[in-house]
Amino acid sequence: MIYADNAATTKISSNVLRVMLPILSDEFGNPSAIYDLGGRAKRIIENARIQVAEAIGAKTREIYFTSGGTESDNWAIKGAASICRKKNKNHIISTTFEHRAVIDSLEFLRRSGFEVTLIDVGASGIIDPIKLRETIRSNTGFVTIMFANNEIGTIQPIAELGEICRDFDLLFHTDAVQVIGEIEIDLRSLPVDLLSVSGHKIHAAKGVGVLYIRDGVEIDKFMDGGNQERGYRAGTENTAAIAGIGAAMQDAVAGRGNRIFVTKMRDAFFDGVLQLGKVRIHGDKKQRLSGNANIGFDGIEGELVVLKLNCHGICCSTGAACSAGAIEPSHVIKALGFNSNKAKEAVRFTFSEENTFEEINYILDKLKEI
Ligand code: PLP
């Protein structure tokens, strides 16, 4: 099998597995219990909090564990909206190509009385900071823009966008689910108030994530119930998965150098694909995540290409995993300016450091056959 769908999910790394297994088998205590078994589980969680905080230049008290990127996005957006409501600001800004977790949270807010403006990303898939400046109004309270897009991999100028939000005293959230280990994040200097992370995109387990909440941002709690996560996110903690995401964050930062190899492989893939003719690359070719290649094949539905490649043991996708099987064409490709038929031609390959040049050549051979 050739796995080229790392934006959908990643394999748990051997280090993360090594960290998680003894916790699953032995450290089963409830972290809230006051006897030693509980205390040890609590310490495992606090150690992971230190690891996560270190990896992104945050303070430990700014790190909250969640059930994944979707929950982190929901909490950040709905929490920021309630801060806005208290300040009588009912306008929110985002973009046309966010992840569904963001788009649907914004839709929920729209139904409850907020006005939402989505900035057009244009053909490059990169937001022009001037457009953000032009969209801000006197009643704008909050901006959410993803760090890098999960379908086309384009990287946004988050520092610049965050500076604009600072200038206008706006809360700023970014969905950083796809960028951990790819781009250096130092929240001591990066002007971001809320940042979402997901474990399973960085070789940790599914069902665990992080929301960074900057000190001083008085966001409401998300889950009602127990006192876990300092009373902000109730629910008995998934100790093993939390330990795993702590290790994975450290590994991701330490392994950033591998991205050079991944970029070379991806660029070789681009070269080979372009030689096939009648293909196009979706989004800016350079300012994108190292492993992402999103290709449009003229006149062929992406789903057919994915199914044919599957017959050769190759895993790739047409777009976001959570939308797979959806009849609707990708809103991300449409946001670049393509019509629905063209948007259905997209195929996403996302490589990791575990892929090889031999695999790239094999995929190219099979694409040529198809
Ligand atoms: N945000 C982005 C950019 C993603 O790619 C994903 C996963 O596909 C999510 C959020 C949702 O994360 P999770 O699967 O952990 O809920």
Side-chain angles (χ1 to χ4, degrees), residues 7-8 67-71 73 99 101-102 146 148-150 175-178 197-201 207-209 320-322 348:
S67 66
T70 299
E71 182 185 327
D73 285 346
H99 189 271
V102 169
M146 69 198 319
N149 184 270
N150 49 305
D175 175 333
V177 163
Q178 294 287 343
V197 175
S198 168
H200 72 104
K201 310 291 183 174
V208 67
C322 49
R348 178 185 70 179

Side-chain angles (χ1 to χ4, degrees), residues 137-202:
R137 308 186 203 151
S138 57
N139 65 339
T140 307
F142 172 55
V143 176
T144 172
I145 296 179
M146 69 198 319
F147 214 131
N149 184 270
N150 49 305
E151 291 191 33
I152 56 172
T154 49
I155 299 167
Q156 308 307 312
I158 288 300
E160 216 178 321
L161 297 166
E163 286 302 342
I164 296 172
C165 292
R166 285 269 188 282
D167 287 350
F168 289 86
D169 197 20
L170 307 177
L171 277 173
F172 184 42
H173 165 247
T174 188
D175 175 333
V177 163
Q178 294 287 343
V179 302
I180 304 297
E182 179 86 31
I183 297 168
E184 188 183 352
I185 296 180
D186 186 350
L187 289 156
R188 284 165 294 209
S189 53
L190 192 70
V192 164
D193 300 307
L194 300 150
L195 180 138
S196 307
V197 175
S198 168
H200 72 104
K201 310 291 183 174
I202 55 167

Side-chain angles (χ1 to χ4, degrees), residues 37-307:
L37 186 68
R40 283 205 302 276
K42 181 88 189 146
R43 278 197 294 282
I44 289 169
I45 292 170
E46 292 319 310
N47 181 51
R49 205 183 306 281
I50 293 169
Q51 289 176 311
V52 171
E54 270 177 13
I56 55 175
K59 299 177 191 128
T60 49
R61 61 174 181 269
E62 294 173 320
I63 302 300
Y64 294 83
F65 292 110
T66 67
S67 66
T70 299
E71 182 185 327
S72 297
D73 285 346
N74 270 263
W75 185 10
I77 292 168
K78 292 169 186 171
S82 66
I83 298 177
C84 292
R85 196 172 265 131
K86 286 177 202 145
K87 293 184 182 168
N88 273 328
K89 305 255 185 189
N90 74 336
H91 180 234
I92 300 172
I93 300 174
S94 187
T95 79
T96 48
F97 77 158
E98 297 294 314
H99 189 271
R100 282 281 303 279
V102 169
I103 291 189
D104 287 4
S105 297
L106 293 173
E107 197 45 49
F108 169 84
L109 292 175
R110 210 197 287 264
R111 286 196 301 273
S112 50
F114 280 89
E115 278 184 86
V116 180
T117 305
L118 301 181
I119 302 174
D120 191 8
V121 292
S124 66
I126 297 168
I127 298 289
D128 181 349
I130 293 170
K131 285 193 186 165
L132 172 61
R133 217 174 254 285
E134 287 169 355
T135 312
I136 295 169
R137 308 186 203 151
S138 57
N139 65 339
T140 307
F142 172 55
V143 176
T144 172
I145 296 179
M146 69 198 319
F147 214 131
N149 184 270
N150 49 305
E151 291 191 33
I152 56 172
T154 49
I155 299 167
Q156 308 307 312
I158 288 300
E160 216 178 321
L161 297 166
E163 286 302 342
I164 296 172
C165 292
R166 285 269 188 282
D167 287 350
F168 289 86
D169 197 20
L170 307 177
L171 277 173
F172 184 42
H173 165 247
T174 188
D175 175 333
V177 163
Q178 294 287 343
V179 302
I180 304 297
E182 179 86 31
I183 297 168
E184 188 183 352
I185 296 180
D186 186 350
L187 289 156
R188 284 165 294 209
S189 53
L190 192 70
V192 164
D193 300 307
L194 300 150
L195 180 138
S196 307
V197 175
S198 168
H200 72 104
K201 310 291 183 174
I202 55 167
H203 303 285
K206 292 167 184 60
V208 67
V210 168
L211 180 63
Y212 158 85
I213 306 176
R214 185 175 288 282
D215 249 356
V217 174
E218 300 288 333
I219 195 166
D220 285 348
K221 64 179 181 169
F222 192 56
M223 295 278 208
D224 291 310
N227 236 354
Q228 293 89 354
E229 296 298 283
R230 282 151 287 152
Y232 278 88
R233 199 278 180 185
T236 306
E237 302 90 333
N238 186 344
T239 316
I242 288 174
I245 198 174
M249 291 283 281
Q250 298 258 308
D251 292 348
V253 170
R256 237 184 347 247
N258 295 334
R259 309 323 291 184
I260 298 168
F261 166 69
V262 179
T263 306
K264 280 189 185 149
M265 244 175 354
R266 192 273 321 276
D267 285 348
F269 181 72
F270 271 158
D271 291 346
V273 157
L274 288 171
Q275 279 174 24
L276 297 175
K278 292 193 170 183
V279 296
R280 58 184 181 277
I281 295 169
H282 291 136
D284 190 272
K285 198 169 166 214
K286 289 274 168 230
Q287 199 175 317
R288 69 197 293 142
L289 298 173
S290 58
N292 179 292
N294 191 310
I295 313 290
F297 294 91
D298 267 359
I300 312 175
E301 284 212 3
E303 200 157 279
L304 187 63
V305 177
V306 170
L307 292 174

